[in-house]
Amino acid sequence: MTTTAPERTATEPRVRRPGRRVPGSVPVFLLGCAVGAVASAYTVRTGTNLDYGDAMAHLTIARRILDGQTPGLQQLGTVWLPLPHLLLMPLVQDMFLFRTGIAACILGTLCLGISAAALHRIMVRLGLGRTARVVGLGVLLANPSLLYAYTTALTEPVLIAAILACIAGLSGWAFSGRRLSGGELAVFAGIPAACAVLTRYEGWALVVSGAIYVGFVVVRRGDGLRRALVLAGAFASAPLAAIGWWLSYNAAWYGNPVEFLTGPYSAAAFTEVFVEQGQLTTKGNLGLSFKVFGWAAVESIGLLPLIAAGIGLVLMTWRWGIDNRALTIWLAGTSSAFLLFSLTTGQHIMVNDVSLPSGAYNNRYVLSAAPWAALLCAYLAHELSRRKALAGAGVVLATVAALTAQNLWWAGDPGERMTVIEEAHLGQRNFTDVKKMARWLHDHYDGGNLLIDESADKLAVAPVIAIDFDDVYNRAAGDAFGDALADPEDHVRWVVMHRTQVTTYATKAALDLVTTALADDPSFLAGYELVYEIADLGVYRRIGG
């Protein structure tokens, strides 16, 4: 391994950048954790950290890996990539942490600390001044939609932390005072990229953009195309191994390496319902896709930060062009480009006030653009503050005023002005009756097995029911679920189901299989009594104990 300092591009000034140790990383990490802890305390106290149905589903999947009729890695399923569930797995084994959602708050708080520290490290390595770093961190940590997501079991916390850690590793490699080896690149950038790959599919796009970034940097150093391919391969080795594992997992458990793309619980299955209902209107329409994406960004990241980021982007392009510093910031836009591509090709669904039809669905995905906006705002602050000694204080005060104004605007009507919070409110309303049923069952459960199709529409409320998964028969139980459906009296004391089959669902796999099997079965109705009902839901208990 050579220690020769890498050459600079013609437009890069001589800036003294730290090595592997970046001063301030630990304090910024602790700051991020402190902000996350405060946000978590609020959402746990109000119970809003469990408003998203997906948040409850993620907690449930994580617990099933070690607790249930058939524990094991097969419980990861294919609906979502596995890393967030594996990280939650040890925490959710504690029933209190599982039921309250605090398990997700712990993970999210750590992820927020990592995100903040990684953003700080990127800004330092780009040569951005203290004022700029304060502005960048402020844009990230003062975003209420982002903070809310970090208190839930949604995938955004792990994804954003992994993306920022990867870019921090790449910037550390690109701007190091010595030429780092391919092994160091694989460890400090490739492993975080692998974490992103196993969290959400935006991470797969990051592998491509990151490898291109490595190639550009190496060629600019004059090391040649062959060396560029070697180092790009070193960076991509860990994420490609992660992709290979995911394909192998799908093949081993489902007989199809792309089950996650084509199976009954895949994104394609979700979009099929929207296509049939004529609601996938962004497909093939780049203009509408951009409009929907842009509106989600305005309501989730904020109009004022986005205006500043836009000015920063124009100014950065004018001053830095496409040198290595600019490319580092462009890397943070990978997830935005991927999401826009997915909307236009019909691989992703997003619904908000400007979509056709309107509503609130999946806007939280745009939160992955928040780090990009933070870096661009930081760059703008750097340019504004670097010429005059007193300008830094003015830039910070202007940032505080802008972020305060933005948050006061949001606070005036968060359920209408912030689509991420609007989605949470919608989830809270949609799950009101289901959670009432789940709380009643939790309070009155006195032993005996439970039959419930948690994969059915809005029945993913295991954290609210909060009983040991060993006592639950559901689809995750495999053949045992089928046995319980065929002979409930011999297997379960309690049954939860829709009393009439659901007619609105996200996928056709969301039909309640318990309802299909038992709702009109005379022998079941003779052996079980309806002990609680609300809306179309019923809790049945076996007669005679």
Side-chain angles (χ1 to χ4, degrees):
M1 177 178 63
T2 179
T3 59
T4 304
E7 296 179 5
R8 296 176 292 109
T9 63
T11 59
E12 288 185 48
R14 291 186 179 275
V15 177
R16 184 184 178 189
R17 297 185 177 94
R20 190 172 299 164
R21 295 182 181 274
V22 177
S25 297
V26 173
V28 172
F29 169 78
L30 295 175
L31 172 65
C33 289
V35 173
V38 172
S40 296
Y42 174 79
T43 60
V44 170
R45 183 177 62 83
T46 59
T48 52
N49 61 323
L50 296 178
D51 279 351
Y52 269 93
D54 282 359
M56 292 187 287
H58 287 304
L59 291 167
T60 302
I61 292 171
R63 186 175 174 98
R64 281 181 188 157
I65 299 170
L66 297 178
D67 180 17
Q69 298 277 344
T70 54
L73 286 180
Q74 76 275 10
Q75 296 298 341
L76 290 169
T78 63
V79 180
W80 291 289
L81 286 158
L83 183 60
H85 305 132
L86 293 172
L87 294 175
L88 282 169
M89 179 181 66
L91 297 169
V92 295
Q93 303 311 310
D94 181 276
M95 185 60 78
F96 174 75
L97 299 182
F98 173 66
R99 187 179 186 217
T100 59
I102 292 177
C105 292
I106 295 171
L107 176 61
T109 294
L110 293 173
C111 285
L112 188 59
I114 293 170
S115 300
L119 178 64
H120 168 76
R121 293 170 74 86
I122 295 167
M123 293 187 291
V124 170
R125 284 164 173 162
L126 290 174
L128 302 183
R130 182 177 300 173
T131 297
R133 299 197 297 270
V134 170
V135 169
L137 289 170
V139 171
L140 186 76
L141 296 178
N143 183 318
S145 294
L146 189 78
L147 295 181
Y148 170 75
Y150 272 79
T151 69
T152 72
L154 298 173
T155 54
E156 279 73 19
V158 179
L159 175 70
I160 295 172
I163 289 174
L164 281 170
C166 173
I167 298 174
L170 286 171
S171 64
W173 166 80
F175 302 114
S176 173
R178 61 188 180 89
R179 296 195 180 186
L180 303 181
S181 68
E184 290 173 295
L185 179 61
V187 169
F188 295 108
I191 290 178
C195 292
V197 159
L198 292 176
T199 299
R200 233 167 53 195
Y201 294 102
E202 290 95 320
W204 298 37
L206 181 64
V207 178
V208 176
S209 62
I212 294 173
Y213 172 87
V214 170
F216 265 92
V217 172
V218 174
V219 170
R220 280 175 167 167
R221 290 175 177 174
D223 289 344
L225 182 59
R226 182 176 179 180
R227 181 62 176 168
L229 292 174
V230 168
L231 288 176
F235 162 73
S237 59
L240 288 178
I243 292 173
W245 178 86
W246 181 239
L247 296 174
S248 300
Y249 165 84
N250 278 258
W253 288 105
Y254 301 95
N256 177 11
V258 291
E259 178 75 10
F260 61 95
L261 283 177
T262 61
Y265 303 101
S266 65
F270 278 83
T271 57
E272 179 184 356
V273 174
F274 282 79
V275 170
E276 290 178 354
Q277 297 173 353
Q279 296 182 349
L280 194 62
T281 53
T282 58
K283 184 176 182 179
N285 191 330
L286 177 60
L288 182 59
S289 297
F290 190 84
K291 186 178 181 181
V292 170
F293 174 86
W295 187 256
V298 167
E299 293 207 331
S300 302
I301 298 173
L303 178 61
L304 296 180
L306 286 177
I307 290 174
I311 296 172
L313 180 61
V314 172
L315 190 59
M316 180 192 75
T317 303
W318 175 51
R319 291 187 60 84
W320 284 359
I322 55 170
D323 71 8
N324 292 342
R325 296 166 299 169
L327 290 180
T328 302
I329 293 179
W330 275 108
L331 270 178
T334 299
S335 60
S336 298
F338 177 83
L339 184 54
L340 188 59
F341 171 81
S342 299
L343 286 170
T344 307
T345 56
Q347 301 302 309
H348 182 71
I349 307 158
M350 184 179 289
V351 181
N352 54 39
D353 291 344
V354 300
S355 62
L356 300 172
S358 61
Y361 183 62
N362 272 351
N363 291 272
R364 68 183 186 273
Y365 278 62
V366 82
L367 290 173
S368 61
W372 191 25
L375 284 169
L376 290 170
C377 288
Y379 173 80
L380 177 61
H382 174 73
E383 289 295 334
L384 293 176
S385 63
R386 72 190 183 103
R387 300 185 184 278
K388 295 181 180 180
L390 298 178
V395 170
V396 171
L397 288 174
T399 301
V400 170
L403 292 177
T404 300
Q406 181 69 69
N407 279 282
L408 288 174
W409 163 256
W410 276 330
D413 192 356
E416 288 294 329
R417 297 173 180 173
M418 304 166 66
T419 51
V420 172
I421 305 304
E422 183 181 357
E423 289 175 10
H425 287 181
L426 183 61
Q428 190 274 333
R429 290 194 297 270
N430 289 341
F431 277 87
T432 296
D433 291 338
V434 186
K435 286 185 175 180
K436 286 180 180 178
M437 176 274 296
R439 293 188 189 99
W440 184 93
L441 180 57
H442 173 80
D443 293 339
H444 292 81
Y445 176 78
D446 55 0
N449 293 331
L450 167 67
L451 175 62
I452 181 174
D453 186 0
E454 292 176 355
S455 300
D457 184 59
K458 297 181 182 66
L459 281 184
V461 289
V464 185
I465 297 175
I467 65 175
D468 287 335
F469 285 13
D470 286 341
D471 298 327
V472 180
Y473 287 83
N474 50 35
R475 289 193 206 185
D479 293 341
F481 178 61
D483 294 339
L485 286 176
D487 186 7
E489 288 198 54
D490 191 47
H491 289 82
V492 299
R493 183 174 180 228
W494 300 86
V495 176
V496 171
M497 66 178 176
H498 294 85
R499 289 178 294 137
T500 58
Q501 188 57 270
V502 297
T503 56
T504 58
Y505 41 78
T507 71
K508 294 178 180 178
L511 295 174
D512 192 331
L513 298 185
V514 178
T515 301
T516 300
L518 302 179
D520 298 321
D521 183 351
S523 62
F524 168 76
L525 298 175
Y528 287 78
E529 61 178 330
L530 180 64
V531 292
Y532 182 84
E533 61 180 307
I534 185 171
D536 65 334
L537 298 167
V539 179
Y540 297 80
R541 184 171 56 204
R542 190 171 55 208
I543 297 172

